[in-house]
Amino acid sequence: MKVALRHLVRNRRRTLLTLLAVLIPVYFLVFMFGFANANLRDMFETATRFDTGHAQIRAVPTKATGSAIPLMRDPSDALAALAEVKEIEWWTVRLDLPAMASVGERSRTIYVRGIVPEEVDPVSGLADRIVAGESLATGTGGVVVGEELALLLKLEVGDEIVLLGAHPEAALGAIRAPVVGVYRAPEAALGRTVIYADLSTARQLARSETAATAIVLRVAGVTGPGDQTALDRAVNDLRANLPAGYEVQDWLELVPMVATYMGILTPALLIVGAIFFALGGLVVLNTIYLSVLERTRELGLILALGAARRRVVRMILAEAGAIAVAGAVGGAVTGVGLILVVEAFGGIPLWGAAAQMMREIGMSPVLHLSANFVQVALSTASMTAVAVLAAWWPARRASRLEPMEAMRYVE
Amino acid sequence: MSSSAVMRTEKLQKVYRTGATETPALRGVDLELEEREFTATAGPSGSGKSTLLHLLGGLDRPTDGEIYLDGRAMSGLSKDELARLRLTRIGFVFQAYNLIPVLTVVENTAFVLELQGIPYRERIRRARAILAELRVDKYADQFPNRLSGGEQQRVAVARAVVSDPAIVLADEPTANLDTKTSLDLIDLMRRMNEEHETTFLFATHDTRLLDRVDRVIHLEDGRIARDERVR
């Protein structure tokens, strides 16, 4: 080990370059995983808090109605079943109705989302997203509209809006409702298309006092996209308890785009990581091979003195291992360090078109990073293993030198 | 074979082959080396001195014939067994490139002991003691490139004897040294031979060294031309 370490010190420049070849892939992967983690968490939080919940109970669609979101005439039996599943920590009834919104000479097809504001606000933070006027309250008969829709329909707080409910399974209902507030949606498409009303107001549009389209629920212990197993367990329990005519969809089924993104992201990162690892491994192989070549006479001497071949292999692998561990740990520390520094400053804010684009796709215009211990440990261990494996061939070659031939070797 | 022979050869032959060309280096050498003997093998370049030492040291294999060390035939040993034999029973001093450049003098001396698994303190103690005997202890913590050629060869001798081997084989240890340094080195080797009772066999083509040995084996064209007792 001493010989191995002294050689590393003696060839400082080459050691440093090799160290960097090991450090950079780990650093890159830790940083990229950190970005992907935060990105997915952002998507998860936005989707599950503001839109889908962790899962929803919906009516099983029937082909005859042609409705994308089937109507539940009276979900009280589903609510009773819900109470039997202990993992469900929160739920609320929602009515999403396709509707026509009209103001003066302007009109637009939208969704009216009927909610119980007192139940929804603590989870979604809708009240905190009000940028003009007031938040929604039960019994006022008012609605809140997205910034984008307000702009399209030239709406201001206090204006009246005519809403015409058009659910294929419900009778036509029409109301005139005052705009009490304007909210900033996490996703521009939501702000353009969703008008929030309290549940009773929305039910007037469906001309039903009990209608709903979903029971939105949250599951205890599910805090991120990595908790899918806990979510699956709760969803299965729920399915077993629900009466016929209902189905349960989790957030990934409700937002398939995120599921697709998740499905692509991890393999893509692993492929890029593998390419970086392979390049790092090649640099290590090259360095150790050169080192063995340069030290042929020395290795010949060591073998001539009686060193076992496996000892020579161990000596070369120790050299590679020292570089690998130092580089990989250095990469992990640098990567995690950078993540901590970025987060200490509140993330990386985007501006202009980039920020707008992020909002369009429902993502925060501030890039966050989040380190995951398992990913960091796996990246570090993988790169170390790749580097040591890369040194195997030169180490084996060194151990098979014929002592006297090696001692006569001239560079 | 006499009961005090450390090493013995029988009809030892070595032929080097390069393509279809065969070059005989040893042509049937019968030899016995007694315990505590201080022997030189002399002869012109190409006479087979180095080849003989490499075969005796298990660094190469004979084409024919047999070598016995402590009465045990070496031909049946595997590479690993030969390495083990070199480590425990044979000390080496080479003509050049004798020391590991990244290890200090004391670490170089203790290296064989390290390979043998001797604990750190013990091997360093023994290495320092032998360096003192060879009067190079003041360089113990320096790297080899700070030492002269003669000093480096003394350290190589220290490493060769530190593990108390059955025999030390030295292949032209004075080839790169001036006359005075060469004589000094041979005298030191002689002292090690007498004080540690270690058998020495060294190859040389320098006739000035031959009056300091017990026995000279003259090689010519791969054969023993003359085997004479000097003392």
Side-chain angles (χ1 to χ4, degrees), chain A residues 303-316:
Chain A
L303 287 164
L305 292 175
R309 287 169 193 271
R310 63 180 175 279
R311 189 182 180 101
V312 172
V313 170
R314 277 210 309 268
M315 196 176 81
I316 305 291

Side-chain angles (χ1 to χ4, degrees), chain A residues 72-380:
Chain A
M72 300 187 283
R73 296 281 166 200
D74 182 0
S76 54
D77 52 348
L79 286 168
L82 198 60
E84 299 296 315
V85 182
K86 62 181 186 309
E87 296 102 315
I88 309 300
E89 64 176 6
W90 174 93
W91 67 85
T92 188
V93 175
R94 177 196 286 179
L95 175 61
D96 281 326
L97 278 178
M100 180 68 78
S102 178
V103 182
E105 294 179 347
R106 295 172 186 272
S107 59
R108 196 166 174 87
T109 52
I110 49 95
Y111 273 90
V112 171
R113 177 162 291 178
I115 59 169
V116 181
E118 295 75 18
E119 290 175 357
V120 170
D121 273 347
V123 172
S124 73
L126 178 62
D128 299 329
R129 290 182 170 273
I130 298 296
V131 291
E134 297 170 358
S135 58
L136 200 62
T138 299
T140 59
V143 296
V144 296
V145 300
E147 277 181 305
E148 291 80 0
L149 187 65
L151 207 64
L152 287 167
L153 295 179
K154 297 191 184 305
L155 273 171
E156 288 184 3
V157 173
D159 289 350
E160 284 209 326
I161 186 168
V162 174
L163 299 169
L164 179 66
H167 196 285
E169 295 175 55
L172 277 177
I175 58 168
R176 185 184 290 272
V179 174
V180 296
V182 176
Y183 73 94
R184 176 165 296 157
E187 184 182 350
L190 274 176
R192 271 196 296 273
T193 53
V194 176
I195 291 177
Y196 282 90
D198 80 28
L199 187 59
S200 57
T201 305
R203 279 173 169 166
Q204 288 176 39
L205 285 173
R207 299 181 69 176
S208 163
E209 291 183 358
T210 55
T213 49
I215 301 168
V216 183
L217 51 93
R218 290 175 67 82
V219 175
V222 175
T223 56
D227 298 323
Q228 192 64 29
T229 310
L231 182 56
D232 287 344
R233 199 181 311 121
V235 165
N236 287 335
D237 284 356
L238 190 54
R239 281 181 182 139
N241 279 281
L242 279 175
Y246 293 101
E247 65 175 9
V248 186
Q249 292 182 319
D250 69 18
W251 72 286
L252 285 174
E253 292 171 290
L254 293 162
V255 197
M257 190 195 81
V258 176
T260 308
Y261 179 74
M262 280 177 73
I264 292 170
L265 189 67
T266 305
L269 275 177
L270 289 178
I271 288 168
V272 175
I275 292 169
F276 267 69
F277 279 0
L279 289 174
L282 281 175
V283 174
V284 172
L285 190 151
N286 181 55
T287 303
I288 300 295
Y289 180 74
L290 281 178
S291 174
V292 165
L293 214 58
E294 281 175 9
R295 286 151 55 197
T296 300
R297 290 201 298 182
E298 179 188 317
L299 292 165
L301 173 64
I302 289 171
L303 287 164
L305 292 175
R309 287 169 193 271
R310 63 180 175 279
R311 189 182 180 101
V312 172
V313 170
R314 277 210 309 268
M315 196 176 81
I316 305 291
L317 291 183
E319 193 172 322
I323 295 183
V325 169
V329 170
V333 168
T334 316
V336 172
L338 189 67
I339 287 173
L340 294 176
V341 169
V342 166
E343 284 306 298
F345 284 94
I348 305 166
L350 298 176
W351 63 92
Q356 186 55 36
M357 191 196 80
M358 294 297 275
R359 258 203 85 208
E360 284 287 338
I361 59 171
M363 288 171 65
S364 167
V366 179
L367 296 182
H368 288 283
L369 299 159
S370 163
N372 173 304
F373 175 75
V374 175
Q375 289 167 348
V376 173
L378 275 178
S379 304
T380 309

Side-chain angles (χ1 to χ4, degrees), chain B residues 26-198:
Chain B
L26 290 180
R27 302 167 192 253
V29 171
D30 293 304
L31 176 69
E32 273 192 25
L33 294 168
E34 303 290 327
E35 274 180 19
R36 296 188 293 278
E37 245 181 4
F38 193 68
T39 307
T41 173
S45 290
S47 60
K49 303 185 298 291
S50 292
T51 302
L52 177 63
L53 259 66
H54 295 164
L55 294 180
L56 294 178
L59 292 167
D60 203 352
R61 289 190 188 270
T63 309
D64 202 2
E66 187 58 270
I67 304 165
Y68 298 91
L69 177 63
D70 298 331
R72 185 184 177 198
M74 286 168 64
S75 63
L77 300 179
S78 68
K79 279 190 173 182
D80 284 344
E81 286 170 330
L82 276 178
R84 185 76 199 155
L85 196 72
R86 289 198 298 272
L87 180 62
T88 54
R89 302 297 291 152
I90 303 171
F92 287 100
V93 181
F94 299 103
Q95 185 176 330
Y97 206 83
N98 251 310
L99 304 177
I100 299 168
V102 292
L103 296 181
T104 62
V105 163
V106 70
E107 288 166 348
N108 261 290
T109 310
F111 187 70
V112 172
L113 301 176
E114 185 183 345
L115 294 177
Q116 288 180 1
I118 308 285
Y120 177 79
R121 280 176 187 277
E122 170 65 8
R123 64 179 187 250
I124 293 297
R125 186 191 63 72
R126 283 169 63 178
R128 285 191 186 279
I130 205 82
L131 287 171
E133 282 186 51
L134 285 157
R135 302 195 305 271
V136 277
D137 50 325
K138 62 182 172 185
Y139 305 118
D141 298 313
Q142 294 193 14
F143 287 96
N145 61 357
R146 304 290 298 273
L147 275 62
S148 69
E151 289 159 349
Q152 287 193 29
Q153 287 303 69
R154 278 198 237 171
V155 175
V157 171
R159 186 190 55 209
V161 297
V162 73
S163 61
D164 292 326
I167 185 167
V168 171
L169 301 171
D171 184 10
E172 306 227 24
T174 61
N176 299 325
L177 305 179
D178 59 44
T179 305
K180 184 181 177 307
T181 315
S182 296
L183 293 172
D184 279 352
L185 184 73
I186 296 301
D187 287 344
L188 280 169
M189 282 167 55
R190 177 89 218 189
R191 246 185 68 206
M192 292 296 106
N193 157 252
E194 287 168 354
E195 290 174 10
H196 292 265
E197 299 187 337
T198 308

